[in-house]
Amino acid sequence: MGDKPTDDAVFGGRPVVAFGRDVDRRNFLRWAGLVGVGAAFVVGAGAAPAFASTLAPGQSPTPSPSPGGGASSTGDLGILNYALTLEYLEAEFYTQGLAANVVSGREMELITPIKAHEQAHVAAIMATVTKLGGTPVAKPTIKFPDGTFGGRDKFLQTASTFEELGVSAYHGQVPLIMSADVLGAAASIAGVESRHAAILAQLTGGKPFPDPFEQPKTMSDVLAAAKPFIS
Amino acid sequence: MSTLRDFVQGKTQVVSAPLAMEALNTRWGLATAADFGSDVDVLNYALTLEYLEATFYQQGNAKNLLSGQEQTYLQQVQKDEEAHVAAITATVQKLGGTPVAKPMVQFGDAFSSRDKFLTTSHTFENVGVGAYLGAAGFIKNKDVLVAAASIFGVEARHAALVGNLLGLPAEGGVYMGAFETPMAKDKVLAAVAPFLASQMGRMPSGGVDTGGGPADTGPNTALIVGGAALLGGAGTAAYLGRRHASDTADSANDS
């Protein structure tokens, strides 16, 4: 357990995501700003300096809307694209991990559906963004650090950290989501991520139920943890 | 609480229901609004289920049917359910309601073997997941919704782990698909009815006179002190969805 990755550096701090199109990176920044993380990522010195250069002159992140008050559906689109990016990452993570053939037997049986779930989440969120009149963020180019899938332990421990991050990410968005249907959909996804988290904790000798109540993380905290994914 | 007004009064209906994902909309197969008249009603409904679960694990774990890691896991599940009981009780009190009394329970032969204990547990936990998701749409206080979500996720963890202890198929036993499915109250009650020895008539109602006065659990255990969580949003979602549907289709019923 000693080498279990932490939330602060899921992939050892190395960049694993590169948006394939500059427009997607700009969109990422735009919605990040809309939901309040822009200050942390664009303005924040050193947090992600590259981000600042992608903003057009005069373009600045929109201040965070107060929870439940006054934000338009643009905020939901931002949150959905945030969730979509995380789901892209998860789906790709399991796709590559399963292809690496480092798990077998019951473990393989338990991990295989997770990949399908994450893919279903990607599809559902994309459809929702489209129905809301938005543009789903494109799948980023994802490069996991060497060794991520080099062995059973590393794969599953990284997965465990990833799932816990995902759970807290969804729970952290509740106060900010405006649309009834977006909230409902997100809840039905979050419960499944909780199941994943419990099973992966069990498989890696962690705590399947670390607390009687799921804990939220703000988008800025999640993005800080996910920073290594985003180059 | 500052955001409550916005949700309860429907100011957040920015996105109309038809715009959002139809496939997932169909999952909101909720009970009728008549099932829950207030947040206290919903909380007392949840409290009864949590009492049932907590008592189930207290009795089951005392039978020493498990050992090793399994035993440790189920002991933690018991502690979680006890924490849920305490938190919901405190929340009902904070809202000025009266927590429903602990129901009389009867678990039959559920503790006759390790397999039966875990199989019954698996049922309880999955029913709990569906119950929270199904009832959330009737919660009006956003803080309560947020708290309910944080419990919902943990019940899902329990369900998955116990399913795995039983060696059930990954899909359909450990996981129940890519999306959780809400369960209407009548189905929840039908599922747990065999275990409730009394109180069936009053279970769903709020403000039940328990005759004994609520325990003083202290305000710091109240749900609304807890952190944010997703089902809170979900509850708001379904609630707003219903409001919206009512407002547009039959405003006379919802105003």
Side-chain angles (χ1 to χ4, degrees):
Chain A
M1 297 301 297
D3 62 344
K4 185 168 182 174
T6 69
D7 283 356
D8 295 323
V10 176
F11 290 102
R14 287 166 290 187
V16 296
V17 170
F19 287 100
R21 299 181 303 175
D22 194 47
V23 63
D24 290 325
R25 190 150 107 159
R26 285 198 305 273
N27 284 340
F28 180 93
L29 293 171
R30 192 167 295 121
W31 56 254
L34 284 170
V35 295
V37 299
F41 273 78
V42 180
V43 180
F51 281 15
S53 65
T54 67
L55 284 173
Q59 182 183 14
S60 62
T62 303
S64 171
S66 61
S72 70
S73 60
T74 310
D76 280 0
L77 286 173
I79 291 168
L80 284 167
N81 270 330
Y82 161 68
L84 178 56
T85 297
L86 294 177
E87 296 287 355
Y88 275 137
L89 284 167
E90 290 190 309
E92 181 64 22
F93 174 81
Y94 288 107
T95 297
Q96 294 190 23
L98 286 170
N101 273 317
V102 292
V103 294
S104 60
R106 177 66 171 174
E107 287 185 344
M108 178 64 101
E109 188 194 343
L110 288 167
I111 301 300
T112 301
I114 297 181
K115 170 186 157 187
H117 294 164
E118 310 301 7
Q119 290 172 337
H121 297 167
V122 166
I125 296 171
M126 286 183 74
T128 304
V129 170
T130 301
K131 288 193 177 188
L132 291 175
T135 302
V137 64
K139 181 180 177 181
T141 300
I142 300 166
K143 294 175 184 173
F144 295 103
D146 292 344
T148 300
F149 309 111
R152 176 262 183 204
D153 288 358
K154 181 68 174 173
F155 172 40
L156 295 185
Q157 285 177 358
T158 307
S160 178
T161 303
F162 225 149
E163 293 292 346
E164 293 290 355
L165 185 65
V167 168
S168 62
Y170 274 103
H171 283 248
Q173 291 309 302
V174 169
L176 299 171
I177 297 176
M178 298 284 96
S179 157
D181 298 295
V182 171
L183 287 161
S188 71
I189 290 176
V192 177
E193 304 291 359
S194 287
R195 289 182 191 254
H196 297 168
I199 293 304
L200 284 159
Q202 181 191 13
L203 295 181
T204 54
K207 294 179 177 177
F209 337 113
D211 194 279
F213 308 95
E214 297 289 13
Q215 300 298 309
K217 271 194 168 66
T218 64
M219 190 183 287
S220 57
D221 285 347
V222 171
L223 290 181
K227 180 182 167 188
F229 313 158
I230 303 159
S231 66
Chain B
M1 295 296 288
S2 61
T3 63
L4 174 59
R5 179 186 63 243
D6 304 297
F7 282 87
V8 172
Q9 296 185 349
K11 290 180 181 174
T12 57
Q13 292 174 20
V14 175
V15 179
S16 64
L19 281 175
M21 74 178 78
E22 292 146 9
L24 288 170
N25 277 351
T26 64
R27 295 188 164 271
W28 293 96
L30 306 177
T32 66
D35 283 350
F36 302 106
S38 70
D39 284 1
V40 168
D41 288 351
V42 179
L43 286 166
N44 271 331
Y45 168 68
L47 180 55
T48 298
L49 296 176
E50 295 289 352
Y51 266 134
L52 186 65
E53 290 185 311
T55 308
F56 173 78
Y57 292 110
Q58 286 161 358
Q59 293 187 14
N61 284 329
K63 303 290 185 186
N64 286 314
L65 299 167
L66 313 177
S67 61
Q69 188 64 62
E70 254 183 25
Q71 184 180 44
T72 303
Y73 284 147
L74 271 289
Q75 286 170 343
Q76 186 58 53
V77 172
Q78 176 186 328
K79 289 177 185 170
D80 288 350
E81 308 300 3
E82 290 168 347
H84 298 166
V85 167
I88 296 171
T89 298
T91 303
V92 170
Q93 291 169 334
K94 205 159 188 170
L95 293 176
T98 302
V100 69
K102 182 177 177 177
M104 298 295 290
V105 295
Q106 50 185 18
F107 296 113
D109 66 348
F111 308 128
S112 61
S113 71
R114 174 253 185 203
D115 282 2
K116 286 201 173 181
F117 179 30
L118 294 182
T119 299
T120 309
S121 161
H122 186 250
T123 298
F124 275 148
E125 297 295 343
N126 278 304
V127 168
V129 169
Y132 274 99
L133 203 51
F138 302 99
I139 299 176
K140 299 172 183 65
N141 181 319
K142 186 164 177 61
D143 294 323
V144 174
L145 287 166
V146 159
S150 73
I151 294 178
F152 156 78
V154 173
E155 304 290 0
R157 288 177 185 257
H158 294 166
L161 185 109
V162 172
N164 196 31
L165 293 179
L166 284 165
L168 297 177
E171 191 63 278
V174 176
Y175 319 117
M176 298 300 183
F179 307 93
E180 300 291 351
T181 304
M183 199 175 211
K185 194 175 77 171
D186 58 344
K187 289 193 168 59
V188 171
L189 294 180
V192 303
F195 307 105
L196 291 171
S198 72
Q199 228 183 310
M200 280 304 298
R202 53 200 275 202
M203 177 177 164
S205 66
V208 173
D209 180 4
T210 64
D216 182 11
T217 44
N220 58 337
T221 56
L223 282 173
I224 56 179
V225 176
L230 195 61
L231 185 56
T236 304
Y239 174 70
L240 289 178
R242 289 193 160 271
R243 279 190 65 90
H244 185 87
S246 296
D247 289 348
T248 52
D250 187 6
S251 59
N253 279 352
D254 197 48
S255 57

